Amino acid sequence: MPQPRADSERRRAPTAVLRLVRAVTMVLGAAAGLLAAVAAITTAEGLFARERLAPTRLGPIKPRSGRFGVHRPGTPLQLGMMGDSLAVGYGAFDPEQTPGTLLAMGLADAANRPVELTNVGEVGAEATALIAQLATLLDEQPALDVVVIVIGANDVMRLKRLTDALWPLSETVRELRRRGVQVVVATCPDLGTVQTFSQPLRFFAHWSSRLTATGQAIVVLRAGGRTVSLADTLGPLFRRTPEEMFSTHDHLHPSDAGYRAAARAILPSVCAAAGYTRPQDAHVPHRVYRKGSRHPLAWLAFRASRRVGARLTASSGVRAQAPTA
């Protein structure tokens, strides 16, 4: 008597499996369609944003170099600047408000010595440009004390592979440290704050920037350099007052006020790297990564990428006293 019931259950089992397979297939198909739609929209928005920004380009911009604090005693400190348009100061109306100039003047005040700035940054540069920039910098100024590198935004905007954005930076920092030069790297800013971008492009830009900044922090620390997070410098401040913080040229690069904010975040690490820590920077968090730390390097790097002006330093690159992370 139980035999018909068993046969009925066996017949229903394949039917239930088929229904489950159809349901899973429909869900996966819908998810794939959604991802394809998001990718298409993001690509279209990226192309549209690029077209909107293209007509506002200012043309060739030569980064400012020279001697600052000429009235101060002593031999000049040699400060190098490398990187992209943020290193050049693209979009600033006043040449005195570009990052290189602000950092050179700030270091001259802290050290009470002249500072010779050599800036080889290029508008539109990607990380791969650092290799050629390094050769130019060493040719123009072989005896460097500190080099500041600002790079990464163009790698994110042009969808470069993360490895292509990291290996040139790592090699550049290693070569400079091998020569005894202190290196401060301002990691990739958060492009998710750029008002020109709309969703979902802004979301993609935000997380791509975070990933790049985290990777940069890891390779720079391993190479013996210091990092300063710019992810949030172009964050709450830029979200609150975009009309003040972004340049009116393209609404993508910082304005004079935006560059001042970035320079304020970078300067304490530049002064510390040169051996002239300022009293007012005693409260600035300056973390040192050493092997055996209770937190892994990747955790420290990601945490730093989320904090305005967060600083990380490899123990081999420390001149001034700093608390251990």
Side-chain angles (χ1 to χ4, degrees), residues 27-288:
V27 170
L28 291 177
L34 178 61
L35 289 175
V38 169
I41 293 171
T42 302
T43 302
E45 287 180 347
L47 293 173
F48 178 65
R50 184 176 296 182
E51 287 302 315
R52 286 185 59 188
L53 294 174
T56 65
R57 291 174 184 154
L58 301 177
I61 303 292
K62 185 177 180 180
R64 184 180 180 190
S65 299
R67 184 167 297 189
F68 299 84
V70 292
H71 61 286
R72 299 183 183 277
T75 56
L77 286 167
Q78 299 297 331
L79 175 65
M81 196 88 178
M82 305 172 61
D84 54 25
S85 53
L86 298 183
V88 174
Y90 181 93
F93 282 96
D94 185 357
E96 296 293 323
Q97 302 300 312
T98 55
T101 299
L102 293 169
L103 292 174
M105 292 191 297
L107 180 57
D109 289 341
N112 193 30
R113 290 173 57 182
V115 172
E116 188 77 34
L117 171 66
T118 305
N119 194 335
V120 295
E122 302 170 87
V123 175
E126 300 171 7
T128 51
L130 292 176
I131 304 302
Q133 288 185 17
L134 178 61
T136 301
L137 180 62
L138 294 176
D139 182 61
E140 293 185 13
Q141 183 47 259
L144 292 158
D145 294 297
V146 182
V147 170
V148 178
I149 302 175
V150 188
I151 201 73
N154 291 307
D155 294 273
V156 171
M157 291 185 66
R158 294 166 187 166
L159 304 178
K160 297 297 181 180
R161 292 186 304 175
L162 186 59
T163 52
D164 292 339
L166 296 182
W167 75 261
L169 177 62
S170 176
E171 291 300 311
T172 299
V173 175
R174 287 185 188 279
E175 177 60 23
L176 287 168
R177 293 295 298 127
R178 188 184 68 80
R179 294 170 177 265
V181 181
Q182 296 292 321
V183 184
V184 178
V185 176
T187 57
C188 183
D190 182 3
L191 294 177
T193 62
V194 177
Q195 300 297 307
T196 306
F197 302 154
S198 56
Q199 298 293 7
L201 180 60
R202 188 179 298 178
F203 176 83
F204 177 79
H206 167 76
W207 283 107
S208 295
S209 302
R210 296 288 192 186
L211 181 61
T212 300
T214 301
Q216 287 177 325
I218 292 172
V219 300
V220 169
L221 288 170
R222 285 178 175 169
R226 300 166 180 257
T227 67
V228 178
S229 173
L230 291 185
D232 287 335
T233 301
L234 295 179
L237 183 63
F238 279 67
R239 288 190 182 97
R240 282 198 306 269
T241 55
E243 67 285 347
E244 178 184 352
M245 291 290 111
F246 284 102
S247 171
T248 56
H249 288 303
D250 57 12
H251 304 285
L252 171 65
H253 294 86
S255 62
D256 291 10
Y259 280 124
R260 286 196 298 271
R264 281 195 299 269
I266 301 170
L267 182 59
S269 288
V270 174
C271 293
Y276 295 97
T277 304
R278 304 178 302 174
Q280 63 265 40
D281 295 330
H283 68 286
V284 174
H286 190 91
R287 290 177 171 77
V288 179

